[in-house]
Amino acid sequence: MVTAAAMHRAFDGANSLGRYAALAPSFNEAMLLAGISTRNRAVMWFAQLGHESIGLSVFRELWDPTPDQRTYDGRMGNDQPGDGFRYRGRGAIQMTGKNNYRECSKWAHARGAVPTPTYFLDDPAAAERDEYVFLPAVWYWTTQRDLNGLSDRRDLVGATRAINGGTNGLADRQRRYALCDSMADALLHERTITMSYADDELTKKFPSRSKYRTTGDPIDTLAGFVLNTDARIHEEFVEREALAGQQWAIDLVRREADKGDAAAKAVLAKVGR
Protein backbone atom coordinates (compact mmCIF):
# COMPACT_ATOMS: atom_id res chain seq x y z
CA MET A 1 0.00 0.00 0.00
CA VAL A 2 0.97 3.63 -0.36
CA THR A 3 2.04 4.57 3.14
CA ALA A 4 0.99 7.52 5.26
CA ALA A 5 4.61 8.70 5.21
CA ALA A 6 4.65 8.76 1.40
CA MET A 7 1.32 10.59 1.34
CA HIS A 8 2.61 13.11 3.89
CA ARG A 9 5.60 13.91 1.70
CA ALA A 10 3.75 13.92 -1.63
CA PHE A 11 0.99 16.17 -0.28
CA ASP A 12 3.32 18.73 1.32
CA GLY A 13 2.43 17.71 4.85
CA ALA A 14 -0.94 19.45 4.63
CA ASN A 15 -2.21 16.93 7.21
CA SER A 16 -0.58 15.10 10.09
CA LEU A 17 0.81 11.60 9.59
CA GLY A 18 -2.08 10.31 11.65
CA ARG A 19 -4.61 11.92 9.36
CA TYR A 20 -2.97 10.43 6.29
CA ALA A 21 -2.93 7.04 8.00
CA ALA A 22 -6.69 7.35 8.49
CA LEU A 23 -7.20 8.22 4.82
CA ALA A 24 -4.78 5.60 3.48
CA PRO A 25 -7.19 2.61 3.28
CA SER A 26 -9.79 4.38 1.15
CA PHE A 27 -7.07 6.19 -0.82
CA ASN A 28 -5.37 2.91 -1.74
CA GLU A 29 -8.71 1.34 -2.65
CA ALA A 30 -9.41 4.32 -4.89
CA MET A 31 -6.08 3.95 -6.68
CA LEU A 32 -6.89 0.33 -7.49
CA LEU A 33 -10.40 1.22 -8.65
CA ALA A 34 -9.09 4.04 -10.84
CA GLY A 35 -6.45 1.85 -12.47
CA ILE A 36 -3.53 3.87 -11.08
CA SER A 37 -1.11 1.10 -11.92
CA THR A 38 1.90 2.83 -13.48
CA ARG A 39 4.41 5.50 -12.57
CA ASN A 40 2.92 8.15 -14.85
CA ARG A 41 -0.61 7.55 -13.61
CA ALA A 42 0.45 7.69 -9.97
CA VAL A 43 2.35 10.94 -10.48
CA MET A 44 -0.63 12.61 -12.17
CA TRP A 45 -3.12 11.25 -9.63
CA PHE A 46 -1.15 12.59 -6.68
CA ALA A 47 -0.41 15.94 -8.33
CA GLN A 48 -3.98 16.64 -9.42
CA LEU A 49 -5.69 15.41 -6.25
CA GLY A 50 -3.10 17.28 -4.24
CA HIS A 51 -3.99 20.55 -5.91
CA GLU A 52 -7.74 20.01 -5.99
CA SER A 53 -7.98 19.12 -2.28
CA ILE A 54 -4.99 21.11 -0.97
CA GLY A 55 -3.10 17.99 -0.03
CA LEU A 56 -6.21 16.01 0.96
CA SER A 57 -7.19 18.61 3.55
CA VAL A 58 -10.30 20.13 1.91
CA PHE A 59 -13.11 17.92 0.62
CA ARG A 60 -15.99 20.38 0.45
CA GLU A 61 -16.51 23.49 -1.65
CA LEU A 62 -16.27 26.72 0.28
CA TRP A 63 -19.66 28.39 0.04
CA ASP A 64 -19.70 32.20 0.04
CA PRO A 65 -21.95 32.12 -1.99
CA THR A 66 -20.35 33.79 -4.98
CA PRO A 67 -22.50 34.81 -7.95
CA ASP A 68 -21.45 31.64 -9.76
CA GLN A 69 -22.48 29.48 -6.81
CA ARG A 70 -25.86 31.17 -6.59
CA THR A 71 -26.53 30.15 -10.20
CA TYR A 72 -26.07 26.47 -9.34
CA ASP A 73 -29.83 26.33 -8.71
CA GLY A 74 -31.31 25.58 -12.09
CA ARG A 75 -28.06 24.18 -13.47
CA MET A 76 -26.51 20.69 -13.37
CA GLY A 77 -29.85 19.16 -12.47
CA ASN A 78 -30.42 21.42 -9.46
CA ASP A 79 -34.18 21.79 -9.87
CA GLN A 80 -35.30 22.47 -6.29
CA PRO A 81 -34.66 25.55 -4.12
CA GLY A 82 -31.44 25.02 -2.17
CA ASP A 83 -30.09 22.30 -4.45
CA GLY A 84 -27.08 24.46 -5.32
CA PHE A 85 -25.98 24.43 -1.69
CA ARG A 86 -27.08 20.85 -1.03
CA TYR A 87 -25.14 19.49 -4.00
CA ARG A 88 -22.12 21.78 -3.74
CA GLY A 89 -18.70 20.41 -4.56
CA ARG A 90 -17.50 17.45 -2.49
CA GLY A 91 -14.74 14.88 -2.76
CA ALA A 92 -11.04 14.87 -3.58
CA ILE A 93 -12.00 16.15 -7.06
CA GLN A 94 -15.10 18.06 -6.22
CA MET A 95 -18.30 16.56 -7.61
CA THR A 96 -20.85 19.35 -8.10
CA GLY A 97 -24.56 19.36 -8.97
CA LYS A 98 -27.45 16.96 -8.51
CA ASN A 99 -26.90 15.24 -11.87
CA ASN A 100 -23.33 14.32 -10.95
CA TYR A 101 -24.35 13.12 -7.48
CA ARG A 102 -26.95 10.91 -9.15
CA GLU A 103 -24.60 9.44 -11.76
CA CYS A 104 -21.74 8.89 -9.33
CA SER A 105 -24.14 7.07 -6.98
CA LYS A 106 -25.22 4.68 -9.74
CA TRP A 107 -21.63 4.02 -10.74
CA ALA A 108 -20.45 3.44 -7.16
CA HIS A 109 -23.37 1.15 -6.35
CA ALA A 110 -22.72 -0.97 -9.45
CA ARG A 111 -19.24 -1.61 -8.04
CA GLY A 112 -20.44 -2.48 -4.56
CA ALA A 113 -18.87 0.65 -3.08
CA VAL A 114 -22.09 2.19 -1.70
CA PRO A 115 -25.26 0.48 -0.47
CA THR A 116 -27.87 2.08 -2.78
CA PRO A 117 -27.92 3.49 -6.33
CA THR A 118 -29.00 6.91 -5.00
CA TYR A 119 -26.63 7.01 -2.03
CA PHE A 120 -24.92 10.38 -2.60
CA LEU A 121 -28.12 11.86 -3.97
CA ASP A 122 -29.91 11.02 -0.72
CA ASP A 123 -26.99 11.86 1.57
CA PRO A 124 -24.71 14.38 -0.19
CA ALA A 125 -22.48 14.82 2.87
CA ALA A 126 -21.42 11.16 2.56
CA ALA A 127 -19.20 12.20 -0.35
CA GLU A 128 -16.87 13.99 2.05
CA ARG A 129 -16.56 11.12 4.57
CA ASP A 130 -13.26 9.28 4.73
CA GLU A 131 -14.59 5.98 3.39
CA TYR A 132 -16.20 7.58 0.31
CA VAL A 133 -14.31 10.81 -0.28
CA PHE A 134 -12.18 9.44 -3.15
CA LEU A 135 -15.03 7.78 -5.04
CA PRO A 136 -16.13 10.98 -6.83
CA ALA A 137 -12.54 11.43 -8.00
CA VAL A 138 -12.38 7.85 -9.33
CA TRP A 139 -15.76 8.24 -11.05
CA TYR A 140 -14.68 11.46 -12.75
CA TRP A 141 -11.18 10.19 -13.56
CA THR A 142 -12.39 7.03 -15.27
CA THR A 143 -15.84 7.82 -16.69
CA GLN A 144 -16.07 11.54 -17.39
CA ARG A 145 -12.58 12.10 -18.79
CA ASP A 146 -9.77 9.85 -20.02
CA LEU A 147 -7.39 10.96 -17.31
CA ASN A 148 -5.40 7.74 -17.36
CA GLY A 149 -4.75 8.30 -21.05
CA LEU A 150 -3.60 11.85 -20.39
CA SER A 151 -1.47 10.56 -17.52
CA ASP A 152 0.15 7.94 -19.74
CA ARG A 153 1.14 10.75 -22.14
CA ARG A 154 2.36 12.90 -19.22
CA ASP A 155 0.05 15.63 -20.48
CA LEU A 156 -0.26 17.78 -17.37
CA VAL A 157 -1.87 20.71 -19.18
CA GLY A 158 -4.41 18.42 -20.86
CA ALA A 159 -5.24 16.73 -17.56
CA THR A 160 -5.61 20.11 -15.87
CA ARG A 161 -8.04 21.25 -18.57
CA ALA A 162 -9.99 18.00 -18.22
CA ILE A 163 -10.40 18.56 -14.49
CA ASN A 164 -10.60 22.34 -14.28
CA GLY A 165 -12.00 23.38 -17.65
CA GLY A 166 -8.97 25.67 -17.97
CA THR A 167 -5.50 25.93 -16.51
CA ASN A 168 -6.31 27.38 -13.11
CA GLY A 169 -3.57 26.60 -10.60
CA LEU A 170 -1.23 25.24 -13.28
CA ALA A 171 1.94 26.43 -11.52
CA ASP A 172 1.01 24.59 -8.33
CA ARG A 173 0.07 21.49 -10.29
CA GLN A 174 3.42 21.59 -12.09
CA ARG A 175 5.26 21.92 -8.78
CA ARG A 176 3.34 18.99 -7.33
CA TYR A 177 3.89 16.93 -10.47
CA ALA A 178 7.66 17.46 -10.28
CA LEU A 179 7.72 16.49 -6.60
CA CYS A 180 5.68 13.34 -7.17
CA ASP A 181 7.73 12.42 -10.23
CA SER A 182 10.84 12.50 -8.05
CA MET A 183 9.33 10.01 -5.59
CA ALA A 184 7.14 7.96 -7.92
CA ASP A 185 8.33 4.55 -6.69
CA ALA A 186 6.82 5.32 -3.28
CA LEU A 187 3.46 6.23 -4.81
CA LEU A 188 2.50 2.93 -6.38
CA HIS A 189 0.33 0.34 -4.67
CA GLU A 190 2.48 -2.72 -3.93
CA ARG A 191 0.30 -4.79 -6.24
CA THR A 192 1.55 -2.75 -9.23
CA ILE A 193 5.25 -3.01 -8.43
CA THR A 194 5.43 -6.48 -9.96
CA MET A 195 4.75 -4.99 -13.38
CA SER A 196 8.42 -4.10 -13.57
CA TYR A 197 9.51 -7.72 -13.11
CA ALA A 198 10.13 -10.10 -15.96
CA ASP A 199 7.64 -12.93 -16.31
CA ASP A 200 10.16 -15.50 -15.09
CA GLU A 201 10.56 -13.52 -11.86
CA LEU A 202 6.82 -13.54 -11.30
CA THR A 203 6.62 -17.32 -11.62
CA LYS A 204 9.41 -18.16 -9.19
CA LYS A 205 8.25 -20.06 -6.12
CA PHE A 206 9.36 -19.37 -2.57
CA PRO A 207 9.07 -21.36 0.66
CA SER A 208 7.15 -20.01 3.61
CA ARG A 209 9.18 -18.24 6.29
CA SER A 210 6.45 -18.57 8.89
CA LYS A 211 7.61 -20.03 12.21
CA TYR A 212 4.42 -22.12 12.08
CA ARG A 213 5.26 -23.72 8.75
CA THR A 214 5.48 -27.49 8.51
CA THR A 215 7.37 -29.68 6.10
CA GLY A 216 5.48 -29.88 2.87
CA ASP A 217 3.62 -26.60 3.31
CA PRO A 218 2.63 -25.28 -0.11
CA ILE A 219 4.67 -22.48 -1.63
CA ASP A 220 3.52 -19.76 -4.00
CA THR A 221 4.87 -17.62 -6.79
CA LEU A 222 5.92 -14.01 -6.33
CA ALA A 223 2.83 -12.89 -8.24
CA GLY A 224 0.71 -15.12 -6.03
CA PHE A 225 2.14 -13.58 -2.88
CA VAL A 226 1.35 -10.08 -4.14
CA LEU A 227 -2.21 -11.01 -5.14
CA ASN A 228 -2.75 -12.71 -1.79
CA THR A 229 -1.55 -9.57 -0.02
CA ASP A 230 -3.98 -7.45 -2.03
CA ALA A 231 -6.83 -9.83 -1.18
CA ARG A 232 -5.97 -9.74 2.50
CA ILE A 233 -5.81 -5.93 2.54
CA HIS A 234 -9.21 -5.63 0.86
CA GLU A 235 -10.83 -8.27 3.06
CA GLU A 236 -9.52 -6.56 6.20
CA PHE A 237 -10.76 -3.20 4.91
CA VAL A 238 -14.29 -4.49 4.20
CA GLU A 239 -14.52 -6.38 7.50
CA ARG A 240 -13.28 -3.35 9.45
CA GLU A 241 -15.88 -1.14 7.77
CA ALA A 242 -18.60 -3.70 8.53
CA LEU A 243 -17.63 -3.75 12.19
CA ALA A 244 -17.81 0.06 12.12
CA GLY A 245 -21.43 -0.23 11.00
CA GLN A 246 -21.05 0.67 7.31
CA GLN A 247 -24.04 -0.92 5.61
CA TRP A 248 -22.38 -1.42 2.22
CA ALA A 249 -19.61 -3.43 3.92
CA ILE A 250 -22.10 -5.40 6.01
CA ASP A 251 -23.92 -6.34 2.79
CA LEU A 252 -20.68 -7.61 1.23
CA VAL A 253 -19.81 -9.62 4.34
CA ARG A 254 -23.32 -11.09 4.42
CA ARG A 255 -22.91 -12.13 0.78
CA GLU A 256 -19.86 -14.21 1.70
CA ALA A 257 -21.47 -15.51 4.88
CA ASP A 258 -24.40 -16.77 2.82
CA LYS A 259 -21.86 -18.76 0.81
CA GLY A 260 -20.70 -20.42 4.00
CA ASP A 261 -17.55 -18.39 4.71
CA ALA A 262 -16.74 -18.88 8.41
CA ALA A 263 -14.79 -15.62 8.82
CA ALA A 264 -17.64 -13.62 7.31
CA LYS A 265 -20.11 -15.35 9.63
CA ALA A 266 -17.94 -14.40 12.60
CA VAL A 267 -17.91 -10.76 11.52
CA LEU A 268 -21.70 -10.75 11.14
CA ALA A 269 -22.04 -12.24 14.61
CA LYS A 270 -19.96 -9.37 16.03
CA VAL A 271 -22.01 -6.82 14.10
CA GLY A 272 -25.17 -8.44 15.41
CA ARG A 273 -26.82 -8.84 12.02
Coordinates of all heavy atoms in Angstrom, one line a residue, residues 9 28 63 83 91 108 112 117 121-122 154 184 194 232 238 251 260 272-273:
R9 N 4.6 13.2 2.5 CA 5.6 13.9 1.7 C 5.0 14.4 0.4 O 5.3 15.6 0.0 CB 6.8 12.9 1.4 CG 7.9 13.6 0.6 CD 9.0 12.6 0.3 NE 9.9 13.0 -0.7 CZ 10.7 12.3 -1.4 NH1 10.8 10.9 -1.2 NH2 11.5 12.8 -2.3
N28 N -5.9 4.0 -1.0 CA -5.4 2.9 -1.7 C -6.4 2.1 -2.5 O -6.2 1.7 -3.7 CB -4.6 2.0 -0.8 CG -3.2 2.5 -0.5 OD1 -2.3 2.3 -1.2 ND2 -3.1 3.1 0.7
W63 N -18.4 27.8 0.5 CA -19.7 28.4 0.0 C -19.8 29.8 0.5 O -20.1 30.1 1.7 CB -20.8 27.5 0.5 CG -22.1 27.9 -0.1 CD1 -23.1 28.8 0.4 CD2 -22.7 27.5 -1.3 NE1 -24.1 28.9 -0.4 CE2 -23.9 28.2 -1.5 CE3 -22.2 26.7 -2.3 CZ2 -24.7 28.0 -2.6 CZ3 -23.0 26.5 -3.4 CH2 -24.2 27.1 -3.6
D83 N -30.9 23.4 -3.9 CA -30.1 22.3 -4.4 C -28.7 22.7 -4.7 O -27.7 21.9 -4.6 CB -30.7 21.8 -5.8 CG -31.8 20.8 -5.5 OD1 -32.0 20.4 -4.3 OD2 -32.4 20.3 -6.5
G91 N -15.6 15.9 -2.3 CA -14.7 14.9 -2.8 C -13.4 15.4 -3.1 O -13.1 16.6 -3.0
A108 N -21.0 4.0 -8.4 CA -20.4 3.4 -7.2 C -21.2 2.2 -6.7 O -20.6 1.2 -6.2 CB -20.4 4.5 -6.1
G112 N -20.4 -2.0 -5.9 CA -20.4 -2.5 -4.6 C -19.8 -1.5 -3.6 O -19.6 -1.9 -2.4
P117 N -28.3 2.8 -5.1 CA -27.9 3.5 -6.3 C -28.2 5.0 -6.3 O -27.9 5.7 -7.2 CB -28.8 2.8 -7.4 CG -29.9 2.2 -6.6 CD -29.4 1.8 -5.3
L121 N -27.0 11.0 -3.7 CA -28.1 11.9 -4.0 C -28.9 12.0 -2.7 O -29.4 13.2 -2.4 CB -29.0 11.2 -5.1 CG -30.0 12.1 -5.8 CD1 -29.4 13.3 -6.5 CD2 -30.9 11.3 -6.7
D122 N -29.1 11.0 -1.9 CA -29.9 11.0 -0.7 C -29.1 11.6 0.5 O -29.7 12.2 1.3 CB -30.4 9.6 -0.3 CG -31.3 9.0 -1.4 OD1 -31.9 9.7 -2.2 OD2 -31.3 7.7 -1.5
R154 N 1.8 11.9 -20.1 CA 2.4 12.9 -19.2 C 1.9 14.3 -19.6 O 2.6 15.3 -19.6 CB 3.9 12.8 -19.2 CG 4.4 11.5 -18.7 CD 6.0 11.4 -18.8 NE 6.6 12.4 -17.9 CZ 6.9 12.2 -16.7 NH1 6.6 11.0 -16.0 NH2 7.6 13.1 -16.0
A184 N 8.2 8.8 -7.4 CA 7.1 8.0 -7.9 C 7.1 6.5 -7.4 O 6.1 5.9 -7.2 CB 7.2 8.0 -9.4
T194 N 5.0 -5.3 -9.2 CA 5.4 -6.5 -10.0 C 5.4 -6.3 -11.5 O 6.0 -7.1 -12.2 CB 4.5 -7.7 -9.6 OG1 3.2 -7.4 -10.0 CG2 4.5 -8.0 -8.2
R232 N -5.9 -9.9 1.1 CA -6.0 -9.7 2.5 C -6.3 -8.3 2.9 O -7.1 -8.0 3.8 CB -4.7 -10.2 3.1 CG -4.7 -10.2 4.7 CD -3.4 -10.8 5.3 NE -2.3 -9.9 5.0 CZ -1.3 -10.2 4.2 NH1 -1.3 -11.3 3.5 NH2 -0.3 -9.4 4.0
V238 N -12.8 -4.3 4.2 CA -14.3 -4.5 4.2 C -14.8 -4.9 5.6 O -15.8 -4.4 6.1 CB -14.7 -5.5 3.1 CG1 -16.2 -5.9 3.2 CG2 -14.4 -4.9 1.7
D251 N -23.3 -5.6 3.9 CA -23.9 -6.3 2.8 C -22.9 -7.3 2.1 O -23.3 -8.4 1.7 CB -24.5 -5.4 1.8 CG -25.7 -4.6 2.4 OD1 -26.3 -5.1 3.4 OD2 -26.1 -3.5 1.8
G260 N -21.3 -19.5 3.0 CA -20.7 -20.4 4.0 C -19.3 -20.0 4.6 O -18.7 -20.8 5.3
G272 N -23.8 -8.2 14.9 CA -25.2 -8.4 15.4 C -26.2 -8.4 14.3 O -27.4 -8.1 14.6
R273 N -25.9 -8.8 13.1 CA -26.8 -8.8 12.0 C -27.1 -10.3 11.6 O -26.2 -11.1 11.6 CB -26.3 -8.1 10.8 CG -26.0 -6.6 11.1 CD -27.2 -5.8 11.4 NE -27.0 -4.4 11.6 CZ -27.0 -3.5 10.7 NH1 -27.2 -3.8 9.4 NH2 -26.7 -2.2 11.0

